[in-house]
Every structure is written in C-alpha cells, then in structure tokens.
Amino acid sequence: MKTSILTLILACTSLVGFSQSKLTQLWESTEQLPTPESVLYVSGQSALYVSLIDGDGSAKDGKGGVAILNMDGTMKDATWVQGLNAPKGMALYKDLLYVADIDEVVVIDVVTGNVINQVKVPESVFLNDVTVDDNGKVYVSDTRKGEIHLIHNGKSSLFMKDVKDVNGLRVVNGSLYAMAGPELWKIDNNKNKTVIAKGLALGGDGLEPVGDGSFLVTCWGGLIYHIKADGTVTQLLDVRDKMKTADLGYNQKEKILYVPTFLNNSVVAYKLD
C-alpha cells in the first residue's frame, strides 16, 4: 500500500511538471534592427511589424521607423516606414496601424505604407504602448506621467490618470488590461480597476493575451512571465545578463512569441510549450 501511494504521488508530481509552460528558442533575426522596441504579429498576415527607435527613446530626431520581417525572422522591408522619432508600441485596426511616438500617435495606412495622420496627445511625455478596441477606440499609455489616453475620431482625451509606470495595454473582450509597473490591472468602462496580479520583479512592458484568460508579459530588463487568469505568476525566462525583452508580439495559434531585444538589435522567436 505504501509503495502504491508513493508511486501515485510521483506520477502526479511528474504530470504537474509537464503541465508547466516553458519557452524554446526558434530563431533570432540576423540583419541589424536599430533598437527594436515592439513587434506586432497580425493573424492572417505572413509578416511581423517591428518599431525601430534607432537612437534615444525620447529624442525627436526623425531617425525612427517601422521595418517588416518575414515569419522566419529574415528581412522583408528594412525601411517600410521612415522619418518617425522614437516609435514604440503598435496596434492594427482594419488597415490602419497606430504607433506611439513620444507625444503623438502616428497613423499608417498598411496598404500604402504612408503616414496619413499624426494625432497629438497634449502634455504627454513618453507614449509607450497602444491597443485598439472593436469599435476603433485607441488607448495609449504615457509611462512617465502614469496616464492612459483615449483617441477616438482623431481626437485625444485623458482616459485615466494615476496609473503609475503604466506601459503594456490590451483590450480583451471589451475590458482594458494594463501593466501598471509590476502589477496587471483590469479596467472597466467606468475606470474601476481590479488588480489581477502583482509581484513581478520589474515593471511590465509587453502584454499579450494567450487566449485562455491568461497573459504573457515581458519586462524590459530581461524577464518574461506567464500570468494565469487567477493571478498566478510564473517566470518563463530570465535573460537579464544577456539582453532586453521589450514589447512582444504573440501568435496565439502557433504559440510563438516574438521578442525585440532592444540594445541587441534583433528579434528572437520562442515557442511556448
């Protein structure tokens, strides 16, 4: 009887071990990407959009842009959009790509690659991530001011303040999720917040839904986490001594993460197992 119980315990322990998520590197891009900050994967498109700061993240120097990679990490178009400043987070709505760029959100027609609008966000300092809901409302975070702004019909307004160190944003099923430093918040239409998870070692950067109510989170300093719907936080990767892990893109169907390495000037793809 004792042997049978021990065997059962070991078997259960083994199953738990297999159920834990892990990351396996698939590839790293080889051509230089000058300070990649964000990667956007769009379902149904065989390409990855990559925002390139190419310099100081706060400088209006016109050196920034957006490149396009093939799905294997090879270069498709290194100079797809040029003349931006320090572009960071991106979001696509229909054929419009919204890009956070210091104190404005740049709107790009993805069919032509032309910049068709630049929406100024008054008194903003460091616009960082962007998300769009099903009605075309654009939310953008200002990390240094701790604010979330709303852009609708080409006009900007303050949506929420006192969101300290806010960065990654995503709208999922009508709710806005935000990384507020080391915490994951859920924000409803009345601007009421619920803290879903906390305790990350660093402030969150990229935020992507996995599709089962959980999220993948990158921390710029070199950490990647999985946050379950119940708030359980699991560290998947620690590369703080090797590279940065900025604003990721995620392919839910194939379970592949695309992580910009910032100062390492590349994008790394990982499989979530």
Side-chain angles (χ1 to χ4, degrees), residues 39-236:
V39 177
L40 178 65
Y41 166 78
V42 179
S43 178
Q45 295 190 21
S46 56
L48 301 169
Y49 297 96
V50 185
S51 64
L52 307 174
I53 294 177
D54 193 11
D56 188 326
S58 301
K60 294 186 177 183
D61 53 15
K63 294 171 60 178
V66 180
I68 301 179
L69 295 180
N70 295 307
M71 298 308 296
D72 61 358
T74 57
M75 186 65 72
K76 184 173 184 177
D77 191 340
T79 58
W80 181 61
V81 172
Q82 296 179 293
L84 305 184
N85 293 308
K88 300 177 180 70
M90 300 177 288
L92 185 70
Y93 180 73
K94 296 183 178 180
D95 288 331
L96 300 179
L97 181 67
Y98 294 87
V99 186
D101 195 1
I102 302 180
D103 60 358
E104 65 183 9
V105 173
V106 179
V107 187
I108 301 167
D109 183 329
V110 296
V111 176
T112 64
N114 294 329
V115 173
I116 62 171
N117 199 2
Q118 293 166 277
V119 183
K120 290 289 184 180
V121 179
E123 300 182 15
S124 60
V125 176
F126 197 82
L127 299 182
N128 212 334
D129 200 19
V130 184
T131 190
V132 186
D133 70 11
D134 292 338
N135 298 313
K137 292 182 178 180
V138 179
Y139 297 87
V140 58
S141 58
D142 187 334
T143 302
R144 292 183 182 169
K145 293 195 72 174
E147 296 176 345
I148 301 173
H149 296 268
L150 170 64
I151 296 174
H152 189 47
N153 295 327
K155 296 182 179 180
S156 171
S157 62
L158 178 63
F159 174 75
M160 192 171 184
K161 61 181 181 179
D162 298 324
V163 190
K164 186 179 179 181
D165 298 326
V166 62
N167 194 339
L169 301 177
R170 284 295 175 271
V171 173
V172 181
N173 297 326
S175 295
L176 177 64
Y177 291 82
M179 290 307 305
E183 299 182 349
L184 173 60
W185 291 9
K186 181 179 180 180
I187 304 168
D188 65 21
N189 290 330
N190 295 317
K191 306 177 186 180
N192 297 312
K193 73 169 185 182
T194 301
V195 178
I196 302 297
K198 57 185 178 180
L200 279 65
L202 300 171
D205 191 332
L207 176 66
E208 285 289 339
V210 175
D212 57 359
S214 67
F215 289 87
L216 293 166
V217 176
T218 51
C219 300
W220 183 85
L223 294 169
I224 301 179
Y225 289 96
H226 179 227
I227 300 179
K228 292 184 179 179
D230 65 1
T232 302
V233 177
T234 302
Q235 181 179 292
L236 298 178

